[in-house]
């Protein structure tokens, strides 16, 4: 009887000591959600894109892209030139560009739609870039087997690797800087303004005098002749 009582007492004591501690423990924390998409961080993880990252930040295109990706449903494809691609440019090329041209150069590497690797085979050319539409700001993409080729009219290159892809953002590496015609070729001359049409002179200005004016002049002349004739008649009577 005593051993059974001691066993029951020990069990009750154990329950009172440990159960509050177990009940007080909070559930395990859920994993933190993934942070917002950041284009420059994606490129930093890819490595060898320091020049392109610097251009993105200098032109504030990184802010624009991150805003589109995180605050809208807009999709984006980026052709990111490697550092070696910029090294192959003629010396002083980037320094010769003004701020607007640098922004346009960055935007020329951005397609405002998501393109998976398989979609390159069916995409319609020419592709409109973030820099704008029109032949001087568009590029063409063609495929040969598994190779994706890009042409701008000045640059011919191919996609050399996939840096990042999801359902909204795709980043591909290219080994040459895509040069747009709008920056690196002379702009076409502005068309001369059309000559102004000669204004037609009014009929009143074209004719020497209107019919009303002519009849008035005739009436005035007849009146003058009548007065002169009357004066002559009076003078002749008085002279008799």
């Amino acid at each position: 009887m005593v051993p059974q009582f001691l066993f029951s007492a020990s069990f009750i004591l154990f329950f009172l000591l440990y159960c509050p501690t177990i009940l007080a423990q909070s559930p395990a924390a859920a994993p933190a959600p993934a942070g917002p998409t950041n284009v420059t961080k994606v490129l930093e993880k890819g490595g060898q894109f320091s020049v392109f990252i610097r251009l993105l930040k200098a032109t504030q295109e990184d802010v624009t892209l991150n805003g589109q990706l995180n605050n809208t449903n807009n999709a984006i494809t980026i052709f990111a030139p490697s550092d070696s691609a910029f090294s192959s440019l003629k010396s002083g090329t980037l320094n010769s560009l003004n701020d607007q041209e640098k922004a346009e150069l960055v935007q020329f590497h951005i397609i405002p739609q998501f393109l998976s690797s398989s979609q390159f085979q069916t995409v319609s050319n020419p592709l409109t870039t973030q820099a704008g539409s029109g032949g001087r700001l568009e590029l063409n993409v063609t495929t040969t087997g598994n190779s994706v080729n890009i042409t701008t009219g000045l640059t011919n290159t191919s996609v050399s690797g996939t840096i990042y892809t999801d359902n909204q953002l795709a980043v591909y590496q290219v080994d040459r800087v895509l040069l747009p015609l709008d920056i690196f070729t002379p702009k076409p001359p502005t068309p001369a303004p059309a000559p102004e049409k000669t204004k037609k002179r009014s009929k009143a200005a074209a004719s020497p005098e209107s019919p009303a004016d002519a009849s008035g002049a005739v009436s005035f002349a007849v009146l003058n002749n009548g007065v002169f004739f009357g004066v002559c008649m009076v003078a002749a009577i008085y002279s008799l």
Side-chain angles (χ1 to χ4, degrees):
M1 185 67 180
V2 174
Q4 184 177 1
F5 172 80
L6 292 175
F7 175 80
S8 299
S10 299
F11 177 82
I12 293 172
L13 182 61
F14 175 85
F15 180 84
L16 292 175
L17 289 175
Y18 287 97
C19 279
T21 304
I22 295 173
L23 293 174
Q25 291 178 352
S26 59
T37 304
N38 188 304
V39 172
T40 55
K41 288 185 177 180
V42 168
L43 292 169
E44 286 171 356
K45 290 181 180 179
Q48 63 180 344
F49 297 104
S50 59
V51 178
F52 191 55
I53 292 172
R54 188 164 65 247
L55 280 174
L56 282 167
K57 292 181 176 180
T59 59
Q60 295 189 337
E61 288 300 319
D62 61 328
V63 177
T64 301
L65 292 175
N66 291 336
Q68 291 177 353
L69 292 171
N70 295 303
N71 300 324
T72 72
N73 293 324
N74 296 345
I76 294 169
T77 298
I78 300 175
F79 296 117
S82 61
D83 290 338
S84 60
F86 283 100
S87 298
S88 65
L89 290 175
K90 184 179 178 180
S91 178
T93 297
L94 291 181
N95 291 333
S96 67
L97 304 179
N98 58 38
D99 292 343
Q100 181 179 349
E101 290 170 334
K102 288 178 181 178
E104 185 175 305
L105 178 63
V106 172
Q107 293 166 354
F108 191 65
H109 291 76
I110 302 166
I111 309 299
Q113 59 177 304
F114 176 80
L115 293 174
S116 64
S117 56
S118 61
Q119 288 177 308
F120 286 127
Q121 299 178 356
T122 57
V123 71
S124 298
N125 286 311
L127 282 176
T128 298
T129 66
Q130 197 94 322
S133 57
R136 296 174 61 84
L137 292 170
E138 296 173 332
L139 49 82
N140 292 280
V141 174
T142 57
T143 57
T144 305
N146 293 326
S147 177
V148 178
N149 307 307
I150 304 172
T151 59
T152 71
L154 290 175
T155 306
N156 295 315
T157 188
S158 58
V159 173
S160 58
T162 301
I163 307 303
Y164 178 88
T165 183
D166 58 21
N167 292 326
Q168 189 182 18
L169 172 66
V171 183
Y172 301 99
Q173 177 178 336
V174 291
D175 292 330
R176 292 191 66 183
V177 179
L178 305 179
L179 303 178
L181 293 170
D182 194 56
I183 297 177
F184 295 97
T185 61
K187 290 180 171 57
T190 304
E196 294 184 1
K197 294 182 178 180
T198 305
K199 295 182 178 179
K200 294 183 179 180
R201 297 174 61 189
S202 63
K203 291 182 178 180
S207 60
E209 58 183 11
S210 63
D213 293 338
S215 62
V218 172
S219 299
F220 183 76
V222 171
L223 179 60
N224 285 342
N225 291 336
V227 172
F228 179 75
F229 180 77
V231 171
C232 291
M233 289 295 292
V234 172
I237 292 171
Y238 278 100
S239 64
L240 292 177

